[in-house]
Amino acid sequence: MIIQDPYFKVRTIAATENPYSVTWTPAHGDYSEGFIGDEWDDGVWPDEKKGWRLIDKQLLHSLRPHSGPLEHAHITIAVGGFPHDVAMQHRTHRIATFDVQSQRYTGERVIKCVNGNENIESVFYFRPVGKYHDREGNHFEYTEQARENDKLFTKQAAIRYVDNINSGMPPEQARHYLTQNIRQNYTFTCNIRSLLHFFNMRVAKDAQLEIQTLCEYIYKEFYQWVPELAQQYRDKYWGKSPLTF
Ligand SMILES: Cc1cc2nc3c(=O)[nH]c(=O)nc-3n(C[C@H](O)[C@H](O)[C@H](O)COP(=O)(O)OP(=O)(O)OC[C@H]3O[C@@H](n4cnc5c(N)ncnc54)[C@H](O)[C@@H]3O)c2cc1C
């Protein structure tokens, strides 16, 4: 199940050009007598079609892929609007580099929300109304009324935040009393292998719906970058939590 939320955003900031050539040629170097740089000087590379053909044939040929070369090409992705807990879940993965909005220097939007100059839903996340279940399969219905009550509760905490700031409390302390559904923007950089590992862990059905949703957003960026590899991963491994990458 994918969560529909108008404030979720994911955008590629940068990605290795010629990712297949950058992945394949180091692997080729493993068993080449010559210097791999010469092949780049001689114009053999980059050749993305050939690179993908060789990766597919030589690296991804089994359930135990030759994964090391998948660590050479990198992508940098900006994530926006997901709740704080998703940022924290993502950050448990030590195989990516993160820069996360501090909430120490970014309280202006909370103040605007309290003053009525910002829609509360653009600053804080509320799951859409609907039927959900927990990891044990217990069902729960999130009603319009419950959602409205949660918005009121969140607003109260935001008002308290502003009162605290106005009374001189340092923002690093005032943020303690904000609710965890605050949206938090961040950027991460990782390689192909680490992205596949992230999907392995977080597309799983017992992962939180919001991070499963994030995986779908990131997958679109991944597909734009390396479509053949992304499609093959999707067909073979998506949602199966394999620990092969
Ligand atoms: C559904 C779900 C629920 C979770 N719930 C919780 C929770 O309640 N609380 C919580 O704290 N975390 C929780 N986690 C996080 C989880 O425990 C992992 O810390 C997180 O998913 C990072 O994944 P990883 O261990 O594969 O490591 P990554 O950092 O993604 O690294 C990838 C791989 O590199 C290797 N590796 C990296 N660093 C080391 C190291 N230091 N030593 C040895 N090998 C290493 C491992 O093989 C690892 O699998 C949850 C994860 C999931 C998917």
mmCIF file of all heavy atoms in Angstrom, residues 3-13 76-84 86-87 90 98-101 109 121-125 181-188 210 213-215 217-218 221:
data_model
loop_
_atom_site.group_PDB
_atom_site.id
_atom_site.type_symbol
_atom_site.label_atom_id
_atom_site.label_comp_id
_atom_site.label_asym_id
_atom_site.label_seq_id
_atom_site.Cartn_x
_atom_site.Cartn_y
_atom_site.Cartn_z
ATOM 1 N N ILE A 3 1.196 5.364 0.340
ATOM 2 C CA ILE A 3 0.507 6.515 0.931
ATOM 3 C C ILE A 3 0.496 7.674 -0.070
ATOM 4 O O ILE A 3 1.542 8.029 -0.619
ATOM 5 C CB ILE A 3 1.239 6.972 2.219
ATOM 6 C CG1 ILE A 3 1.301 5.854 3.254
ATOM 7 C CG2 ILE A 3 0.633 8.244 2.765
ATOM 8 C CD1 ILE A 3 0.122 5.700 4.147
ATOM 9 N N GLN A 4 -0.668 8.231 -0.297
ATOM 10 C CA GLN A 4 -0.767 9.418 -1.146
ATOM 11 C C GLN A 4 -0.668 10.657 -0.254
ATOM 12 O O GLN A 4 -1.477 10.804 0.665
ATOM 13 C CB GLN A 4 -2.116 9.453 -1.895
ATOM 14 C CG GLN A 4 -2.415 8.229 -2.729
ATOM 15 C CD GLN A 4 -1.441 8.047 -3.880
ATOM 16 O OE1 GLN A 4 -0.878 9.018 -4.387
ATOM 17 N NE2 GLN A 4 -1.222 6.796 -4.273
ATOM 18 N N ASP A 5 0.330 11.480 -0.513
ATOM 19 C CA ASP A 5 0.499 12.684 0.305
ATOM 20 C C ASP A 5 1.046 13.779 -0.606
ATOM 21 O O ASP A 5 2.062 13.580 -1.272
ATOM 22 C CB ASP A 5 1.473 12.401 1.458
ATOM 23 C CG ASP A 5 1.659 13.613 2.359
ATOM 24 O OD1 ASP A 5 2.352 14.576 1.967
ATOM 25 O OD2 ASP A 5 1.091 13.602 3.473
ATOM 26 N N PRO A 6 0.381 14.938 -0.628
ATOM 27 C CA PRO A 6 0.796 15.982 -1.577
ATOM 28 C C PRO A 6 2.143 16.624 -1.264
ATOM 29 O O PRO A 6 2.701 17.334 -2.101
ATOM 30 C CB PRO A 6 -0.331 17.021 -1.473
ATOM 31 C CG PRO A 6 -0.975 16.773 -0.143
ATOM 32 C CD PRO A 6 -0.801 15.308 0.155
ATOM 33 N N TYR A 7 2.666 16.377 -0.052
ATOM 34 C CA TYR A 7 3.921 17.041 0.320
ATOM 35 C C TYR A 7 5.139 16.132 0.231
ATOM 36 O O TYR A 7 6.250 16.567 0.500
ATOM 37 C CB TYR A 7 3.795 17.650 1.729
ATOM 38 C CG TYR A 7 2.666 18.658 1.797
ATOM 39 C CD1 TYR A 7 1.432 18.298 2.334
ATOM 40 C CD2 TYR A 7 2.817 19.943 1.286
ATOM 41 C CE1 TYR A 7 0.384 19.210 2.373
ATOM 42 C CE2 TYR A 7 1.773 20.851 1.318
ATOM 43 C CZ TYR A 7 0.558 20.479 1.862
ATOM 44 O OH TYR A 7 -0.470 21.388 1.887
ATOM 45 N N PHE A 8 4.949 14.872 -0.111
ATOM 46 C CA PHE A 8 6.101 13.986 -0.292
ATOM 47 C C PHE A 8 6.804 14.360 -1.593
ATOM 48 O O PHE A 8 6.158 14.481 -2.645
ATOM 49 C CB PHE A 8 5.665 12.517 -0.392
ATOM 50 C CG PHE A 8 5.195 11.887 0.899
ATOM 51 C CD1 PHE A 8 4.630 10.612 0.885
ATOM 52 C CD2 PHE A 8 5.323 12.532 2.118
ATOM 53 C CE1 PHE A 8 4.199 10.010 2.061
ATOM 54 C CE2 PHE A 8 4.890 11.934 3.303
ATOM 55 C CZ PHE A 8 4.325 10.673 3.264
ATOM 56 N N LYS A 9 8.117 14.532 -1.515
ATOM 57 C CA LYS A 9 8.892 14.907 -2.711
ATOM 58 C C LYS A 9 10.225 14.175 -2.724
ATOM 59 O O LYS A 9 10.867 14.048 -1.670
ATOM 60 C CB LYS A 9 9.208 16.411 -2.698
ATOM 61 C CG LYS A 9 8.054 17.299 -3.060
ATOM 62 C CD LYS A 9 8.484 18.742 -3.076
ATOM 63 C CE LYS A 9 8.477 19.286 -1.662
ATOM 64 N NZ LYS A 9 8.536 20.729 -1.543
ATOM 65 N N VAL A 10 10.646 13.738 -3.877
ATOM 66 C CA VAL A 10 11.963 13.111 -4.019
ATOM 67 C C VAL A 10 12.537 13.565 -5.351
ATOM 68 O O VAL A 10 11.833 13.567 -6.366
ATOM 69 C CB VAL A 10 11.851 11.564 -3.972
ATOM 70 C CG1 VAL A 10 13.145 10.907 -4.392
ATOM 71 C CG2 VAL A 10 11.477 11.095 -2.563
ATOM 72 N N ARG A 11 13.799 13.996 -5.326
ATOM 73 C CA ARG A 11 14.406 14.512 -6.559
ATOM 74 C C ARG A 11 15.890 14.171 -6.597
ATOM 75 O O ARG A 11 16.596 14.369 -5.607
ATOM 76 C CB ARG A 11 14.245 16.038 -6.583
ATOM 77 C CG ARG A 11 14.726 16.710 -7.830
ATOM 78 C CD ARG A 11 14.749 18.223 -7.617
ATOM 79 N NE ARG A 11 15.043 18.950 -8.829
ATOM 80 C CZ ARG A 11 16.230 19.023 -9.390
ATOM 81 N NH1 ARG A 11 17.265 18.392 -8.857
ATOM 82 N NH2 ARG A 11 16.409 19.724 -10.503
ATOM 83 N N THR A 12 16.335 13.711 -7.736
ATOM 84 C CA THR A 12 17.769 13.449 -7.893
ATOM 85 C C THR A 12 18.506 14.773 -8.060
ATOM 86 O O THR A 12 18.118 15.612 -8.880
ATOM 87 C CB THR A 12 18.023 12.565 -9.134
ATOM 88 O OG1 THR A 12 17.359 11.319 -8.922
ATOM 89 C CG2 THR A 12 19.503 12.329 -9.355
ATOM 90 N N ILE A 13 19.555 14.951 -7.269
ATOM 91 C CA ILE A 13 20.377 16.159 -7.356
ATOM 92 C C ILE A 13 21.544 15.909 -8.309
ATOM 93 O O ILE A 13 21.930 16.761 -9.083
ATOM 94 C CB ILE A 13 20.962 16.505 -5.958
ATOM 95 C CG1 ILE A 13 19.847 16.769 -4.953
ATOM 96 C CG2 ILE A 13 21.933 17.665 -6.017
ATOM 97 C CD1 ILE A 13 19.017 17.989 -5.263
ATOM 98 N N THR A 76 22.861 11.110 -5.670
ATOM 99 C CA THR A 76 22.510 12.009 -4.563
ATOM 100 C C THR A 76 21.053 12.405 -4.737
ATOM 101 O O THR A 76 20.674 12.909 -5.799
ATOM 102 C CB THR A 76 23.409 13.260 -4.570
ATOM 103 O OG1 THR A 76 24.772 12.835 -4.447
ATOM 104 C CG2 THR A 76 23.075 14.212 -3.438
ATOM 105 N N ILE A 77 20.260 12.151 -3.715
ATOM 106 C CA ILE A 77 18.809 12.353 -3.821
ATOM 107 C C ILE A 77 18.318 13.228 -2.667
ATOM 108 O O ILE A 77 18.683 13.002 -1.504
ATOM 109 C CB ILE A 77 18.079 10.985 -3.808
ATOM 110 C CG1 ILE A 77 18.429 10.200 -5.090
ATOM 111 C CG2 ILE A 77 16.577 11.149 -3.679
ATOM 112 C CD1 ILE A 77 17.807 8.817 -5.186
ATOM 113 N N ALA A 78 17.490 14.221 -3.007
ATOM 114 C CA ALA A 78 16.862 15.058 -1.974
ATOM 115 C C ALA A 78 15.473 14.502 -1.682
ATOM 116 O O ALA A 78 14.722 14.173 -2.604
ATOM 117 C CB ALA A 78 16.762 16.496 -2.463
ATOM 118 N N VAL A 79 15.171 14.402 -0.394
ATOM 119 C CA VAL A 79 13.875 13.881 0.052
ATOM 120 C C VAL A 79 13.173 15.000 0.816
ATOM 121 O O VAL A 79 13.787 15.648 1.665
ATOM 122 C CB VAL A 79 14.075 12.661 0.989
ATOM 123 C CG1 VAL A 79 12.734 12.153 1.523
ATOM 124 C CG2 VAL A 79 14.818 11.541 0.262
ATOM 125 N N GLY A 80 11.903 15.221 0.516
ATOM 126 C CA GLY A 80 11.191 16.298 1.199
ATOM 127 C C GLY A 80 9.828 15.852 1.700
ATOM 128 O O GLY A 80 9.159 15.029 1.063
ATOM 129 N N GLY A 81 9.440 16.381 2.849
ATOM 130 C CA GLY A 81 8.063 16.234 3.317
ATOM 131 C C GLY A 81 7.736 14.950 4.041
ATOM 132 O O GLY A 81 6.621 14.795 4.533
ATOM 133 N N PHE A 82 8.672 14.029 4.139
ATOM 134 C CA PHE A 82 8.374 12.795 4.884
ATOM 135 C C PHE A 82 8.514 13.078 6.387
ATOM 136 O O PHE A 82 9.291 13.954 6.789
ATOM 137 C CB PHE A 82 9.320 11.668 4.453
ATOM 138 C CG PHE A 82 8.910 11.036 3.138
ATOM 139 C CD1 PHE A 82 9.237 11.639 1.936
ATOM 140 C CD2 PHE A 82 8.166 9.869 3.114
ATOM 141 C CE1 PHE A 82 8.835 11.081 0.724
ATOM 142 C CE2 PHE A 82 7.765 9.302 1.916
ATOM 143 C CZ PHE A 82 8.102 9.909 0.717
ATOM 144 N N PRO A 83 7.759 12.330 7.222
ATOM 145 C CA PRO A 83 7.827 12.621 8.660
ATOM 146 C C PRO A 83 9.180 12.247 9.259
ATOM 147 O O PRO A 83 9.906 11.405 8.715
ATOM 148 C CB PRO A 83 6.700 11.760 9.251
ATOM 149 C CG PRO A 83 6.421 10.708 8.240
ATOM 150 C CD PRO A 83 6.796 11.266 6.907
ATOM 151 N N HIS A 84 9.434 12.842 10.394
ATOM 152 C CA HIS A 84 10.701 12.667 11.112
ATOM 153 C C HIS A 84 11.090 11.191 11.265
ATOM 154 O O HIS A 84 12.246 10.816 11.061
ATOM 155 C CB HIS A 84 10.558 13.331 12.482
ATOM 156 C CG HIS A 84 11.655 13.046 13.432
ATOM 157 N ND1 HIS A 84 12.914 13.588 13.300
ATOM 158 C CD2 HIS A 84 11.692 12.252 14.545
ATOM 159 C CE1 HIS A 84 13.679 13.143 14.294
ATOM 160 N NE2 HIS A 84 12.974 12.340 15.043
ATOM 161 N N VAL A 86 10.544 8.662 9.415
ATOM 162 C CA VAL A 86 11.077 8.072 8.173
ATOM 163 C C VAL A 86 12.537 8.502 7.980
ATOM 164 O O VAL A 86 13.398 7.687 7.622
ATOM 165 C CB VAL A 86 10.213 8.466 6.951
ATOM 166 C CG1 VAL A 86 10.909 8.064 5.656
ATOM 167 C CG2 VAL A 86 8.849 7.808 7.036
ATOM 168 N N ALA A 87 12.804 9.769 8.262
ATOM 169 C CA ALA A 87 14.196 10.240 8.153
ATOM 170 C C ALA A 87 15.089 9.436 9.090
ATOM 171 O O ALA A 87 16.202 9.033 8.723
ATOM 172 C CB ALA A 87 14.274 11.730 8.464
ATOM 173 N N HIS A 90 15.520 5.866 7.754
ATOM 174 C CA HIS A 90 16.449 5.858 6.623
ATOM 175 C C HIS A 90 17.886 5.991 7.136
ATOM 176 O O HIS A 90 18.808 5.330 6.670
ATOM 177 C CB HIS A 90 16.093 7.003 5.675
ATOM 178 C CG HIS A 90 16.655 6.836 4.295
ATOM 179 N ND1 HIS A 90 16.224 7.575 3.219
ATOM 180 C CD2 HIS A 90 17.637 6.022 3.815
ATOM 181 C CE1 HIS A 90 16.905 7.201 2.143
ATOM 182 N NE2 HIS A 90 17.769 6.271 2.477
ATOM 183 N N PHE A 98 24.196 11.240 4.879
ATOM 184 C CA PHE A 98 22.979 12.044 5.035
ATOM 185 C C PHE A 98 23.268 13.467 5.508
ATOM 186 O O PHE A 98 24.189 13.679 6.304
ATOM 187 C CB PHE A 98 22.064 11.403 6.089
ATOM 188 C CG PHE A 98 21.504 10.075 5.681
ATOM 189 C CD1 PHE A 98 22.223 8.909 5.922
ATOM 190 C CD2 PHE A 98 20.286 9.983 5.045
ATOM 191 C CE1 PHE A 98 21.722 7.677 5.537
ATOM 192 C CE2 PHE A 98 19.778 8.750 4.657
ATOM 193 C CZ PHE A 98 20.498 7.597 4.905
ATOM 194 N N ASP A 99 22.442 14.377 5.048
ATOM 195 C CA ASP A 99 22.337 15.697 5.672
ATOM 196 C C ASP A 99 20.865 15.936 5.931
ATOM 197 O O ASP A 99 20.063 15.967 4.994
ATOM 198 C CB ASP A 99 22.922 16.791 4.766
ATOM 199 C CG ASP A 99 24.366 17.051 5.117
ATOM 200 O OD1 ASP A 99 24.601 17.682 6.159
ATOM 201 O OD2 ASP A 99 25.247 16.575 4.380
ATOM 202 N N VAL A 100 20.516 16.103 7.212
ATOM 203 C CA VAL A 100 19.111 16.168 7.603
ATOM 204 C C VAL A 100 18.809 17.540 8.209
ATOM 205 O O VAL A 100 19.594 18.058 9.012
ATOM 206 C CB VAL A 100 18.791 15.043 8.620
ATOM 207 C CG1 VAL A 100 17.332 15.080 9.036
ATOM 208 C CG2 VAL A 100 19.144 13.673 8.042
ATOM 209 N N GLN A 101 17.659 18.090 7.793
ATOM 210 C CA GLN A 101 17.194 19.376 8.327
ATOM 211 C C GLN A 101 17.248 19.336 9.856
ATOM 212 O O GLN A 101 16.736 18.400 10.468
ATOM 213 C CB GLN A 101 15.751 19.551 7.853
ATOM 214 C CG GLN A 101 15.199 20.929 7.964
ATOM 215 C CD GLN A 101 13.807 20.983 7.342
ATOM 216 O OE1 GLN A 101 13.082 20.009 7.367
ATOM 217 N NE2 GLN A 101 13.449 22.115 6.795
ATOM 218 N N ARG A 109 8.806 27.640 10.102
ATOM 219 C CA ARG A 109 7.571 27.098 9.520
ATOM 220 C C ARG A 109 6.572 26.690 10.604
ATOM 221 O O ARG A 109 5.360 26.754 10.402
ATOM 222 C CB ARG A 109 7.897 25.947 8.561
ATOM 223 C CG ARG A 109 8.536 24.769 9.209
ATOM 224 C CD ARG A 109 9.475 24.016 8.294
ATOM 225 N NE ARG A 109 10.284 23.122 9.101
ATOM 226 C CZ ARG A 109 10.152 21.807 9.145
ATOM 227 N NH1 ARG A 109 9.290 21.231 8.353
ATOM 228 N NH2 ARG A 109 10.889 21.083 9.937
ATOM 229 N N GLU A 121 -0.839 20.981 7.553
ATOM 230 C CA GLU A 121 -0.500 19.718 6.870
ATOM 231 C C GLU A 121 0.786 19.827 6.051
ATOM 232 O O GLU A 121 1.369 18.822 5.677
ATOM 233 C CB GLU A 121 -1.654 19.274 5.966
ATOM 234 C CG GLU A 121 -2.903 18.970 6.769
ATOM 235 C CD GLU A 121 -3.666 17.761 6.277
ATOM 236 O OE1 GLU A 121 -3.071 16.894 5.605
ATOM 237 O OE2 GLU A 121 -4.870 17.700 6.574
ATOM 238 N N SER A 122 1.207 21.044 5.769
ATOM 239 C CA SER A 122 2.459 21.183 5.009
ATOM 240 C C SER A 122 3.669 21.096 5.951
ATOM 241 O O SER A 122 4.787 20.858 5.515
ATOM 242 C CB SER A 122 2.491 22.499 4.228
ATOM 243 O OG SER A 122 2.656 23.582 5.118
ATOM 244 N N VAL A 123 3.428 21.283 7.236
ATOM 245 C CA VAL A 123 4.526 21.248 8.215
ATOM 246 C C VAL A 123 4.524 19.927 8.995
ATOM 247 O O VAL A 123 5.580 19.399 9.328
ATOM 248 C CB VAL A 123 4.406 22.446 9.194
ATOM 249 C CG1 VAL A 123 5.541 22.438 10.206
ATOM 250 C CG2 VAL A 123 4.381 23.766 8.426
ATOM 251 N N PHE A 124 3.346 19.402 9.237
ATOM 252 C CA PHE A 124 3.209 18.138 9.980
ATOM 253 C C PHE A 124 2.460 17.129 9.114
ATOM 254 O O PHE A 124 1.562 17.494 8.352
ATOM 255 C CB PHE A 124 2.442 18.366 11.291
ATOM 256 C CG PHE A 124 3.162 19.272 12.252
ATOM 257 C CD1 PHE A 124 2.922 20.646 12.255
ATOM 258 C CD2 PHE A 124 4.102 18.763 13.136
ATOM 259 C CE1 PHE A 124 3.589 21.496 13.125
ATOM 260 C CE2 PHE A 124 4.771 19.599 14.020
ATOM 261 C CZ PHE A 124 4.522 20.973 14.007
ATOM 262 N N TYR A 125 2.838 15.877 9.272
ATOM 263 C CA TYR A 125 2.260 14.806 8.456
ATOM 264 C C TYR A 125 1.132 14.098 9.206
ATOM 265 O O TYR A 125 1.289 13.752 10.388
ATOM 266 C CB TYR A 125 3.362 13.798 8.113
ATOM 267 C CG TYR A 125 2.847 12.507 7.550
ATOM 268 C CD1 TYR A 125 2.310 12.446 6.270
ATOM 269 C CD2 TYR A 125 2.891 11.332 8.302
ATOM 270 C CE1 TYR A 125 1.828 11.250 5.755
ATOM 271 C CE2 TYR A 125 2.415 10.138 7.789
ATOM 272 C CZ TYR A 125 1.883 10.107 6.524
ATOM 273 O OH TYR A 125 1.403 8.927 6.012
ATOM 274 N N ASN A 181 5.440 13.776 14.161
ATOM 275 C CA ASN A 181 4.948 13.788 12.774
ATOM 276 C C ASN A 181 5.449 15.008 11.997
ATOM 277 O O ASN A 181 5.002 15.236 10.868
ATOM 278 C CB ASN A 181 3.411 13.740 12.750
ATOM 279 C CG ASN A 181 2.774 14.898 13.503
ATOM 280 O OD1 ASN A 181 3.435 15.578 14.289
ATOM 281 N ND2 ASN A 181 1.495 15.121 13.285
ATOM 282 N N ILE A 182 6.390 15.761 12.573
ATOM 283 C CA ILE A 182 6.913 16.921 11.829
ATOM 284 C C ILE A 182 7.639 16.425 10.577
ATOM 285 O O ILE A 182 8.332 15.417 10.592
ATOM 286 C CB ILE A 182 7.821 17.799 12.718
ATOM 287 C CG1 ILE A 182 8.135 19.111 11.986
ATOM 288 C CG2 ILE A 182 9.091 17.070 13.152
ATOM 289 C CD1 ILE A 182 8.642 20.215 12.902
ATOM 290 N N ARG A 183 7.418 17.141 9.488
ATOM 291 C CA ARG A 183 8.076 16.766 8.228
ATOM 292 C C ARG A 183 9.533 17.225 8.276
ATOM 293 O O ARG A 183 9.834 18.308 8.796
ATOM 294 C CB ARG A 183 7.348 17.418 7.036
ATOM 295 C CG ARG A 183 5.908 16.940 6.881
ATOM 296 C CD ARG A 183 5.257 17.582 5.675
ATOM 297 N NE ARG A 183 3.832 17.353 5.617
ATOM 298 C CZ ARG A 183 3.240 16.318 5.020
ATOM 299 N NH1 ARG A 183 3.970 15.394 4.421
ATOM 300 N NH2 ARG A 183 1.921 16.211 4.990
ATOM 301 N N GLN A 184 10.380 16.417 7.707
ATOM 302 C CA GLN A 184 11.812 16.735 7.787
ATOM 303 C C GLN A 184 12.456 16.468 6.428
ATOM 304 O O GLN A 184 12.346 15.358 5.882
ATOM 305 C CB GLN A 184 12.459 15.860 8.868
ATOM 306 C CG GLN A 184 13.723 16.424 9.439
ATOM 307 C CD GLN A 184 14.150 15.702 10.710
ATOM 308 O OE1 GLN A 184 13.702 14.607 11.001
ATOM 309 N NE2 GLN A 184 15.034 16.315 11.471
ATOM 310 N N ASN A 185 13.116 17.459 5.891
ATOM 311 C CA ASN A 185 13.775 17.310 4.587
ATOM 312 C C ASN A 185 15.212 16.830 4.786
ATOM 313 O O ASN A 185 15.850 17.182 5.779
ATOM 314 C CB ASN A 185 13.806 18.651 3.850
ATOM 315 C CG ASN A 185 12.417 19.226 3.664
ATOM 316 O OD1 ASN A 185 11.444 18.493 3.554
ATOM 317 N ND2 ASN A 185 12.315 20.549 3.644
ATOM 318 N N TYR A 186 15.690 16.070 3.846
ATOM 319 C CA TYR A 186 17.083 15.635 3.936
ATOM 320 C C TYR A 186 17.599 15.226 2.563
ATOM 321 O O TYR A 186 16.830 15.082 1.608
ATOM 322 C CB TYR A 186 17.262 14.504 4.947
ATOM 323 C CG TYR A 186 16.525 13.214 4.641
ATOM 324 C CD1 TYR A 186 17.174 12.165 3.984
ATOM 325 C CD2 TYR A 186 15.198 13.040 5.003
ATOM 326 C CE1 TYR A 186 16.514 10.967 3.720
ATOM 327 C CE2 TYR A 186 14.531 11.852 4.736
ATOM 328 C CZ TYR A 186 15.190 10.824 4.096
ATOM 329 O OH TYR A 186 14.536 9.653 3.822
ATOM 330 N N THR A 187 18.908 15.054 2.506
ATOM 331 C CA THR A 187 19.566 14.623 1.270
ATOM 332 C C THR A 187 20.463 13.447 1.607
ATOM 333 O O THR A 187 21.084 13.430 2.673
ATOM 334 C CB THR A 187 20.426 15.781 0.704
ATOM 335 O OG1 THR A 187 19.591 16.932 0.577
ATOM 336 C CG2 THR A 187 21.007 15.434 -0.657
ATOM 337 N N PHE A 188 20.500 12.474 0.708
ATOM 338 C CA PHE A 188 21.427 11.364 0.943
ATOM 339 C C PHE A 188 22.178 11.029 -0.338
ATOM 340 O O PHE A 188 21.714 11.305 -1.443
ATOM 341 C CB PHE A 188 20.718 10.124 1.495
ATOM 342 C CG PHE A 188 19.812 9.423 0.508
ATOM 343 C CD1 PHE A 188 20.277 8.338 -0.230
ATOM 344 C CD2 PHE A 188 18.513 9.850 0.316
ATOM 345 C CE1 PHE A 188 19.450 7.681 -1.137
ATOM 346 C CE2 PHE A 188 17.677 9.200 -0.585
ATOM 347 C CZ PHE A 188 18.146 8.115 -1.311
ATOM 348 N N GLU A 210 5.051 4.446 5.331
ATOM 349 C CA GLU A 210 5.636 5.678 4.792
ATOM 350 C C GLU A 210 7.010 5.414 4.180
ATOM 351 O O GLU A 210 7.373 6.026 3.171
ATOM 352 C CB GLU A 210 5.739 6.752 5.881
ATOM 353 C CG GLU A 210 4.414 7.408 6.247
ATOM 354 C CD GLU A 210 3.531 6.537 7.150
ATOM 355 O OE1 GLU A 210 4.009 5.497 7.646
ATOM 356 O OE2 GLU A 210 2.353 6.925 7.339
ATOM 357 N N THR A 213 6.558 3.718 0.974
ATOM 358 C CA THR A 213 6.187 4.735 -0.019
ATOM 359 C C THR A 213 7.429 5.479 -0.507
ATOM 360 O O THR A 213 7.598 5.716 -1.715
ATOM 361 C CB THR A 213 5.177 5.731 0.604
ATOM 362 O OG1 THR A 213 4.047 4.988 1.046
ATOM 363 C CG2 THR A 213 4.760 6.806 -0.377
ATOM 364 N N LEU A 214 8.310 5.810 0.444
ATOM 365 C CA LEU A 214 9.558 6.475 0.060
ATOM 366 C C LEU A 214 10.331 5.610 -0.947
ATOM 367 O O LEU A 214 10.901 6.120 -1.916
ATOM 368 C CB LEU A 214 10.407 6.758 1.304
ATOM 369 C CG LEU A 214 11.796 7.315 1.034
ATOM 370 C CD1 LEU A 214 11.718 8.699 0.371
ATOM 371 C CD2 LEU A 214 12.610 7.414 2.326
ATOM 372 N N CYS A 215 10.343 4.307 -0.720
ATOM 373 C CA CYS A 215 11.046 3.401 -1.646
ATOM 374 C C CYS A 215 10.480 3.535 -3.065
ATOM 375 O O CYS A 215 11.238 3.537 -4.042
ATOM 376 C CB CYS A 215 10.919 1.947 -1.194
ATOM 377 S SG CYS A 215 11.927 1.577 0.239
ATOM 378 N N TYR A 217 9.080 6.159 -4.408
ATOM 379 C CA TYR A 217 9.538 7.447 -4.946
ATOM 380 C C TYR A 217 11.003 7.343 -5.387
ATOM 381 O O TYR A 217 11.382 7.812 -6.447
ATOM 382 C CB TYR A 217 9.417 8.549 -3.896
ATOM 383 C CG TYR A 217 8.055 9.197 -3.782
ATOM 384 C CD1 TYR A 217 6.989 8.526 -3.193
ATOM 385 C CD2 TYR A 217 7.841 10.492 -4.224
ATOM 386 C CE1 TYR A 217 5.746 9.125 -3.062
ATOM 387 C CE2 TYR A 217 6.592 11.105 -4.102
ATOM 388 C CZ TYR A 217 5.560 10.413 -3.517
ATOM 389 O OH TYR A 217 4.331 11.011 -3.389
ATOM 390 N N ILE A 218 11.819 6.730 -4.522
ATOM 391 C CA ILE A 218 13.251 6.627 -4.846
ATOM 392 C C ILE A 218 13.447 5.702 -6.042
ATOM 393 O O ILE A 218 14.300 5.950 -6.905
ATOM 394 C CB ILE A 218 14.061 6.145 -3.617
ATOM 395 C CG1 ILE A 218 14.020 7.199 -2.515
ATOM 396 C CG2 ILE A 218 15.507 5.850 -4.003
ATOM 397 C CD1 ILE A 218 14.686 6.761 -1.213
ATOM 398 N N GLU A 221 13.406 7.457 -9.321
ATOM 399 C CA GLU A 221 14.664 8.161 -9.628
ATOM 400 C C GLU A 221 15.726 7.154 -10.087
ATOM 401 O O GLU A 221 16.482 7.393 -11.026
ATOM 402 C CB GLU A 221 15.180 8.898 -8.384
ATOM 403 C CG GLU A 221 14.218 9.893 -7.796
ATOM 404 C CD GLU A 221 13.859 11.013 -8.768
ATOM 405 O OE1 GLU A 221 14.773 11.675 -9.284
ATOM 406 O OE2 GLU A 221 12.638 11.222 -9.002
#
